Amino acid sequence: MLTILFRTVAVYATLIVIMRIMGKRQIGELELTDLVTTLLVSEIASLPVTNPEIPLLHALVPMLILLILEVFSSVILLFFPRLKNLVSARPTVIIHNGRLCQSALRQIRLSLDELMSEVRQQGLTDLSQVEAAILEKNGNLTVIPKPAYAPPTAKDLGVSPPDEGLMHIVYSNNTYSKSGLALIGRDRAWLERQLAHRSLDPRTLFCVTANKKGTLYWIPKEKKK
């Protein structure tokens, strides 16, 4: 039992390191090489856990080799972007200047019903309202409506809304967030003064967010029933 526990912890720790180095992209955003590496690593990682007769190194070494290959291939593709076309799909234009490219639909094996479903999810009701539609490398469909069907922007309406800035979590789980405070150029002492000025006890707060302008927003803790 201890052997299995040790093997599981070792494989788990190795996977954490490998995935941390590979980055935080989601499965749908993985390049082909990333996806192949992920599948192989997950398959190899399960072997010493399910079969105690397999030496642990027989799994750890291949996993580390795959990691090295993945990092090496990423660096090569970074310096030689043309090679990326060999291992990565290109974006496919499905609708261009309001015209449906039927050959593109057949090429990517996308049915008209699937295309209409994606268009409706963008708030449009018909293909005639679409200026362009592109199937991106990660499998997502980008739909650009024609100007007449695009929602108006502040510029279109001739207004200039105030820039409130991005809110960051500065306090949660009874802990002050150093990283969140650093993002807005403040420190813990500043936040404590702001809370005291508003007669707020941090122990009664679920979380606090703030922006660079010093605007605060807080959510009190729910009372226990």
Side-chain angles (χ1 to χ4, degrees):
M1 181 61 70
L2 290 177
T3 301
I4 295 178
L5 177 61
F6 171 76
R7 285 167 170 260
T8 303
V9 171
V11 170
Y12 176 77
T14 304
L15 282 175
I16 292 295
V17 173
I18 290 176
M19 294 304 165
R20 180 68 181 87
I21 295 176
M22 287 181 61
K24 298 188 294 183
R25 287 182 292 184
Q26 300 176 0
I27 292 297
E29 299 172 347
L30 292 177
E31 296 284 357
L32 182 58
T33 55
D34 299 329
L35 181 59
V36 170
T37 301
T38 302
L39 293 175
L40 285 175
V41 166
S42 61
E43 183 68 23
I44 294 172
S46 65
L47 296 178
V49 176
T50 57
N51 189 351
E53 296 181 359
I54 298 178
L56 185 59
L57 286 178
H58 285 194
L60 297 182
V61 172
M63 289 165 59
L64 293 176
I65 292 175
L66 286 172
L67 172 61
I68 294 173
L69 291 174
E70 168 60 25
V71 173
F72 179 75
S73 64
S74 299
V75 172
I76 292 297
L77 293 177
L78 182 64
F79 287 98
F80 301 97
R82 290 186 178 181
L83 295 177
K84 210 165 191 177
N85 294 330
L86 299 176
V87 295
S88 178
R90 293 182 179 181
T92 302
V93 178
I94 301 175
I95 298 179
H96 180 62
N97 292 333
R99 176 178 171 274
L100 177 64
C101 302
Q102 300 178 30
S103 59
L105 279 180
R106 292 192 294 268
Q107 178 185 351
I108 61 177
R109 298 182 297 278
L110 181 69
S111 69
L112 193 57
D113 288 336
E114 291 173 321
L115 177 61
M116 286 295 298
S117 175
E118 293 288 344
V119 168
R120 287 193 296 269
Q121 291 182 50
Q122 301 297 324
L124 304 175
T125 59
D126 189 67
L127 294 179
S128 61
Q129 302 174 355
V130 179
E131 176 68 19
I134 303 171
L135 184 65
E136 306 292 356
K137 293 168 60 176
N138 60 6
N140 294 330
L141 185 67
T142 298
V143 177
I144 302 174
K146 291 182 177 179
Y149 300 97
T153 63
K155 183 178 179 180
D156 296 330
L157 298 176
V159 297
S160 300
D163 182 10
E164 296 295 338
L166 186 63
M167 301 292 283
H168 298 277
I169 298 175
V170 294
Y171 179 85
S172 65
N173 296 324
N174 300 319
T175 304
Y176 292 88
S177 173
K178 292 183 179 180
S179 59
L181 287 167
L183 288 171
I184 63 172
R186 311 284 181 167
D187 56 16
R188 175 172 173 171
W190 171 84
L191 181 56
E192 289 177 338
R193 290 195 301 270
Q194 295 298 316
L195 295 178
H197 178 71
R198 294 167 173 78
S199 301
L200 294 172
D201 184 352
R203 294 172 296 182
T204 66
L205 300 177
F206 177 72
C207 72
V208 180
T209 58
N211 60 16
K212 289 185 177 181
K213 293 186 176 182
T215 304
L216 293 186
Y217 174 73
W218 59 90
I219 300 177
K221 287 182 179 178
E222 292 181 349
K223 294 182 179 180
K224 295 182 179 180
K225 297 181 180 180

